[in-house]
Every structure is written in structure tokens, then in C-alpha cells.
Amino acid sequence: MRRASTLASVNVLSRSLATVHGGAAATSASLSHGLLQVSLYGTSSTTGSHVRRRWFDSFSGGPAGKLAIGVAGTLASVAVASSLTQEVYAKEPPPAELVPKDVVLYQYEACPFCNKVKAFLDYHDIPYKIVEVNPLSKKEIKWSDYKKVPILMVDGEQLVDSSAIIDKLNDKIVPERVAPPSSNDDEEKKWRQWVDNHLVHMLSPNIYRNTSEALESFDYITSNGNFSYTEKFTVKYAGAAAMYFVSKKLKKKYNITDERASLYEAAETWVNALNGRDFLGGSKPNMADLAVFGVLRPIRYLRSGKDMVEHTRIGEWYSRMEHAVGESARIKA
């Protein structure tokens, strides 16, 4: 069992850019249309299927040292409680016979829906390979009738749509549950839908709020995305400029008057949903926790994410999730 690390890798949010021909930028109308699709993240996610869950607990115990006789009982209780608090963040992979043998994720590094899938794979220690898709040519997924990301190949089976991918993968690694559905399942489903239908729409207006933040975002995108040398310059500056204006349209579309205030409100809404629990799933994250974490992870160390943590109560939960999700299960080439 691999212990969770304390830091998550820095990601940024974006999707595909406008078509480029011969290294030159497309027309502004075409670029704006493509970037509007980027800002909406192209992929829709649904959580209609019944969610089945089993969480794995792993605890180590024993007092840390000899206890004074007069306070032995009290200190022993404290030691046990402390041990449980620390070990709640330890994770355990599914039974070996249920772990897929060959998992390949076709993605954009900065895509929030791709990061949802990666959060699930990382948390369950399911090894996977990454194929970074060029968002301009999409040549890496020419073989697929589905032209969006994420696409997850699991032992030769193609899975698409982030929430559907997670549901199907969860069914594969978690044995059938005998107990009937509980109110916790309804709560989990509700908040997974909230992520796809509300939270994700708060992101683009924030990361493209002004020209400097737009350039910050595209600087990462061009540094980590699958672009040719000639594409990088065009994408960074033309993309940042276009998305700055597109973000203004998104504000109107989603009735956002103040970008940061809307992001802060969403963060506080999530913290309120926890209702004092470490995770929505209780002592361990459930799929709603992983969905929120996955969507927010790309912006965490951007200016918008730093502001969110500074001005809301979400920071402690996010830190717990970094510990719980832990190191990436990605297989490095």
C-alpha cells in the first residue's frame, strides 16, 4: 500500500483551442468559437447510473510510548484517536484480481474533466498511461468516433464522458453491494451533479478574468500541452486574448456578476455540504469528494485558486484530499 503524499502537482485549466493551419492562427471568429467550446469544456457529464461504493480502511495502532499509570486510560484513548486521524488518509488499492491490466487515458493535461478521472485513478492506485492529445489536430484520437476528452481505454474497452467513466470503472473494481441504496448515495449523486452543472462553470470566468490571468493560464497550457513549436506562440497570445473576451460572455451566460465572489460562494457551498465531516464520504472521500477535488486541482496554484483558498474555508478540506489522493498512479514512459 502506497502512502499519500502531501503535495499535488500543479495543473491549469483549459480545453482544446481553435484550428490552426500551417502554424498560422485561424480567423478570429473560428478561434473564438473553438475557445468558447474550450471554456465550456466540451464534455458533458451525467451521473444517472446507480453508484456503488466500498471504501477500504487501513489502521495501525498501539500507544506511542509507555504511559503513566495514573493517566494510562486517557492517554491510550488519545493515542488511538490520533492514530485513526492520521490513518484515515491512508489508502488501499482494490483487490489485485479486480484491477484493470491496461488503462490508457487520452487527455488534455489542463482539462478539469480529465482531472476528475485522474483523481479517481490516483486515489484507487490504478496504474494508467497518459496520451496527451494535441487540441488543434486531435490526431491522437483520430481512431475514435468520439472526438472529446477524456477517453479512457480499459483493457481494450473505450469509456467516454468523465462521470460515466468513473461509474463504469467503479463498477469494475468494487464488488456488488448487497445492501440497498442509502441516503448517502443520494447525497453523493447530488453533489457529483453539482460539480458538472455548476462548479465547473465558475472556473473559466476566473482563470481568464483579466489579461494577466489569461496569460498565466495559457503559459502553462503551452508549456505542458501537446503543441508544436510554431503552435505555442500563436496559442499562448491569441488564445489568451480570445478567452479573455469569451470569459465575459460566459459571465453573462451563467449570470455571474463577480467572478471571484461566485467562486468563493461555490467553495463555501461545498464546505457547508461537508457539515463538519472530514469528507462528504465521512472518514474517507467518496466520488463527490474526488469530483470536486479533480475539478479544482488544475486551478489550485493559479492566482484564482490561491485566492479561493485564502478567502474561503475550503483549504483544510483540499489539504486533506491532497493527502488522501496521494501520489499519481500514472505509469511514466
Side-chain angles (χ1 to χ4, degrees):
M1 180 176 65
R2 174 166 53 79
R3 299 297 181 185
S5 66
T6 59
L7 294 176
S9 59
V10 177
N11 291 309
V12 161
L13 199 61
S14 174
R15 286 293 297 265
S16 64
L17 306 174
T19 302
V20 172
H21 180 67
T27 63
S28 59
S30 176
L31 182 60
S32 297
H33 176 72
L35 290 171
L36 178 58
Q37 292 179 322
V38 172
S39 63
L40 296 176
Y41 302 111
T43 296
S44 61
S45 298
T46 58
T47 54
S49 61
H50 174 63
V51 180
R52 289 169 290 192
R53 303 174 292 122
R54 186 183 74 180
W55 305 105
F56 301 94
D57 298 301
S58 175
F59 301 106
S60 61
K66 293 183 179 180
L67 305 177
I69 294 177
V71 292
T74 301
L75 292 181
S77 298
V78 170
V80 171
S82 177
S83 174
L84 292 176
T85 300
Q86 295 171 2
E87 289 300 319
V88 75
Y89 306 131
K91 61 181 180 178
E92 185 172 317
E97 66 273 14
L98 298 180
V99 177
K101 301 298 186 292
D102 185 26
V103 179
V104 181
L105 177 64
Y106 292 81
Q107 65 149 30
Y108 304 141
E109 179 64 24
C111 165
F113 293 112
C114 298
N115 276 278
K116 277 175 56 183
V117 174
K118 287 192 288 187
F120 182 89
L121 294 170
D122 291 339
Y123 178 71
H124 289 287
D125 281 339
I126 299 173
Y128 60 96
K129 299 174 185 176
I130 289 289
V131 175
E132 189 70 17
V133 177
N134 183 308
L136 303 179
S137 66
K138 298 186 179 180
K139 60 183 180 180
E140 293 80 8
I141 55 174
K142 291 289 187 183
W143 53 269
S144 175
D145 291 334
Y146 189 80
K147 299 306 179 184
K148 301 176 183 178
V149 293
I151 297 174
L152 191 71
M153 295 299 297
V154 181
D155 293 334
E157 178 185 2
Q158 177 180 279
L159 305 180
V160 300
D161 184 292
S162 62
S163 290
I165 288 172
I166 291 169
D167 285 337
K168 292 176 182 178
L169 192 57
N170 191 63
D171 288 345
K172 289 177 180 291
I173 67 171
V174 178
E176 285 286 343
R177 185 177 65 183
V178 177
S182 68
S183 59
N184 290 337
D185 294 314
D186 293 335
E187 181 183 42
E188 180 183 64
K189 179 179 178 180
K190 168 190 171 182
W191 288 103
R192 289 180 68 193
Q193 292 176 335
W194 174 81
V195 170
D196 294 336
N197 297 331
H198 180 74
L199 179 60
V200 74
H201 298 310
M202 300 298 107
L203 304 184
S204 286
N206 274 278
I207 65 175
Y208 304 118
R209 183 175 64 150
N210 52 46
T211 53
S212 63
E213 289 188 68
L215 281 171
E216 177 191 34
S217 300
F218 274 92
D219 184 57
Y220 177 85
I221 292 168
T222 54
S223 297
N224 294 274
N226 187 5
F227 297 99
S228 70
Y229 178 80
T230 55
E231 290 170 341
K232 287 183 178 181
F233 182 86
T234 299
V235 166
K236 178 177 178 179
Y237 292 97
M243 281 308 301
Y244 169 75
F245 292 105
V246 169
S247 68
K248 305 309 175 186
K249 295 181 180 179
L250 293 173
K251 285 181 61 177
K252 183 176 182 180
K253 178 180 177 67
Y254 295 110
N255 298 315
I256 298 172
T257 55
D258 184 311
E259 303 94 331
R260 284 295 196 267
S262 296
L263 180 62
Y264 299 163
E265 182 181 4
E268 289 293 337
T269 296
W270 174 248
V271 174
N272 288 336
L274 298 176
N275 194 27
R277 294 169 289 184
D278 279 352
F279 307 103
L280 193 75
S283 62
K284 291 215 172 186
N286 64 14
M287 289 195 287
D289 287 290
L290 292 171
V292 175
F293 177 74
V295 165
L296 292 180
R297 185 157 59 171
I299 75 164
R300 171 60 184 91
Y301 297 100
L302 291 178
R303 192 180 311 170
S304 55
K306 291 176 181 178
D307 286 351
M308 176 186 68
V309 169
E310 181 180 350
H311 293 94
T312 72
R313 298 171 293 154
I314 203 170
E316 291 185 4
W317 168 85
Y318 190 92
S319 180
R320 288 193 294 269
M321 285 299 299
E322 284 186 312
H323 283 265
V325 173
E327 299 174 1
S328 173
R330 175 180 177 177
I331 300 172
K332 298 294 178 65

